[in-house]
Amino acid sequence: PPCSVCIELNGLPYGWMLLPALSVKGEPFLSVAPRHSRPCAWQPRGSFVGSKIWPFCLLASATGRRHSTRRKQAINWKELAERAEEVMERIYDPQPSPDEILALQDELGIIAILQDAGISSERRKEMDARHAKISWYEQLFQETRTARLAGTPEPDVDWSLIAQRINKRFKYKPGLDAFTPEHYASYEDWFLRKLSVTMHQKCLAQAGLADVCAPVQGKLWPQVLSGEITLKVSVIAVDELLKLLPESCSLLQLRLRWPDYHRVHSPVDGSIQCMKVYEKDELFPGAESMSIFDFKTGFGLVHLLCIGEWSVQS
């Protein structure tokens, strides 16, 4: 199940490059490099100042000084609905359609009603039920999550076989030898698999071509913001609270699929200054879980925003 990451870059003009970090034919990692850096074989049009990367990922781990911050809800959802068009025009690329603006306004209105009524748990049950109808795999992930949280027996399935079938369905290219372990006795063996030593060194060498590298493997979306309406509202909500996005910014969004490698790597050389955490449904009924890391680097502050989506959200 997908989730999301935001990187904020300050102080230097950046151009975009794609570096295939896991395999030559695999899903590429996205890197960002100053224009004075070594050129790459392919360059998208244009360059960006104060750029952002929005990949999708699920799990995040980090070392360094950890500071978890909780904030009380301070968003006026009715007022935000009135400003929906203004907010979307600043963040979206290309500009949102009238139907997209109306959909966001409707969602913000629903959130205001649900918060007033105090029935966020019912919203989550409805969302889980809707997602479970999409695929048997999604239902399996939900059952596994529930068992892990409750400390009850997990579904008795062959996770190596599950991974093999999902890899085939999505035509996932990196071979088993790119990761460790290569066979999975549990859900976590598969979903939290690590890079092999050889692949890790290859990724580090390619990431070293740029000052900033995308921390996840993912697929680039042609439109920002994409995904479920709750994910879009989560981005808007945290920006309202923390003012992460400047007035003028360029966004890229990547999404992790079920088979993708789900560990998150540091996108920069630096130190973590603090970490802010929002649990599932904390920002609003139906909100995605979210972890925000602030990195201190040699070229400014970098915000790494990891946003959960759908089932797991741990």
Side-chain angles (χ1 to χ4, degrees):
C3 77
S4 90
V5 177
C6 158
I7 304 173
E8 180 175 339
L9 314 178
N10 296 318
L12 287 176
Y14 286 86
W16 301 103
M17 64 165 63
L18 283 169
L19 300 177
L22 288 183
S23 74
V24 175
K25 297 181 180 180
E27 291 288 345
F29 274 40
L30 182 66
S31 295
V32 185
R35 285 182 291 198
H36 56 72
S37 294
R38 186 184 310 176
C40 61
W42 178 86
Q43 281 278 0
R45 63 184 185 277
S47 60
F48 304 87
V49 177
S51 303
K52 308 283 188 306
I53 304 176
W54 292 87
F56 280 78
C57 55
L58 182 62
L59 303 172
S61 61
T63 58
R65 184 168 65 89
R66 172 174 171 162
H67 174 63
S68 180
T69 302
R70 290 292 172 83
R71 286 174 164 76
K72 294 182 179 180
Q73 181 54 253
I75 296 177
N76 185 328
W77 296 101
K78 293 180 181 178
E79 187 270 339
L80 184 58
E82 296 174 355
R83 295 190 292 111
E85 184 173 358
E86 169 195 339
V87 172
M88 294 177 75
E89 287 180 350
R90 184 170 64 84
I91 296 176
Y92 276 56
D93 182 24
Q95 291 298 294
S97 67
D99 287 343
E100 288 175 317
I101 295 173
L102 182 61
L104 182 66
Q105 288 175 328
D106 289 345
E107 180 69 14
L108 294 173
I110 292 172
I111 290 172
I113 294 173
L114 291 174
Q115 284 221 311
D116 290 342
I119 51 176
S120 59
S121 60
E122 296 302 318
R123 183 78 183 286
R124 178 57 60 180
K125 290 179 181 178
E126 181 273 329
M127 292 172 63
D128 282 350
R130 174 161 46 85
H131 291 149
K133 293 179 180 179
I134 294 175
S135 168
W136 175 81
Y137 294 119
E138 183 61 31
Q139 183 178 348
L140 175 63
F141 297 150
Q142 289 188 18
E143 292 174 356
T144 303
R145 175 198 65 189
T146 300
R148 292 288 293 160
L149 292 175
T152 57
E154 299 179 32
D156 184 14
V157 297
D158 185 336
W159 286 106
S160 289
L161 181 59
I162 295 293
Q164 179 183 348
R165 289 177 175 175
I166 289 179
N167 288 348
K168 183 177 180 180
R169 171 178 170 180
F170 286 90
K171 300 180 180 179
Y172 187 64
K173 295 298 183 180
L176 292 176
D177 59 351
F179 308 102
T180 181
E182 296 185 20
H183 301 284
Y184 315 121
S186 67
Y187 171 82
E188 290 174 333
D189 279 354
W190 170 47
F191 215 64
L192 298 181
R193 66 190 185 274
K194 299 180 180 180
L195 295 175
S196 67
V197 173
T198 300
M199 187 56 64
H200 190 203
Q201 292 303 314
K202 181 179 179 180
C203 290
L204 287 176
Q206 292 182 330
L209 299 175
D211 288 344
V212 179
C213 181
V216 294
Q217 179 190 27
K219 182 177 180 181
L220 185 67
W221 282 78
Q223 179 177 344
V224 179
L225 294 165
S226 294
E228 290 210 358
I229 189 69
T230 50
L231 185 140
K232 299 174 184 178
V233 175
S234 292
V235 173
I236 292 171
V238 76
D239 184 42
E240 286 290 310
L241 290 174
L242 303 180
K243 306 301 180 185
L244 293 178
L245 306 180
E247 287 301 318
S248 178
C249 61
S250 298
L251 303 178
L252 290 182
Q253 179 171 321
L254 292 93
R255 179 181 185 181
L256 268 70
R257 308 165 304 168
W258 286 337
D260 286 327
Y261 170 71
H262 270 74
R263 286 184 176 266
V264 181
H265 294 254
S266 174
V268 293
D269 288 330
S271 60
I272 295 179
Q273 299 300 294
C274 68
M275 174 177 164
K276 306 175 186 71
V277 177
Y278 294 93
E279 294 184 358
K280 182 174 60 177
D281 300 320
E282 183 176 347
L283 279 172
F284 59 89
E288 318 297 352
S289 62
M290 189 179 309
S291 296
I292 304 170
F293 302 86
D294 292 344
F295 290 88
K296 182 181 180 180
T297 75
F299 53 87
L301 186 65
V302 173
H303 301 299
L304 177 64
L305 176 59
C306 302
I307 308 176
E309 190 176 17
W310 287 25
S311 292
V312 182
Q313 303 219 23
S314 58

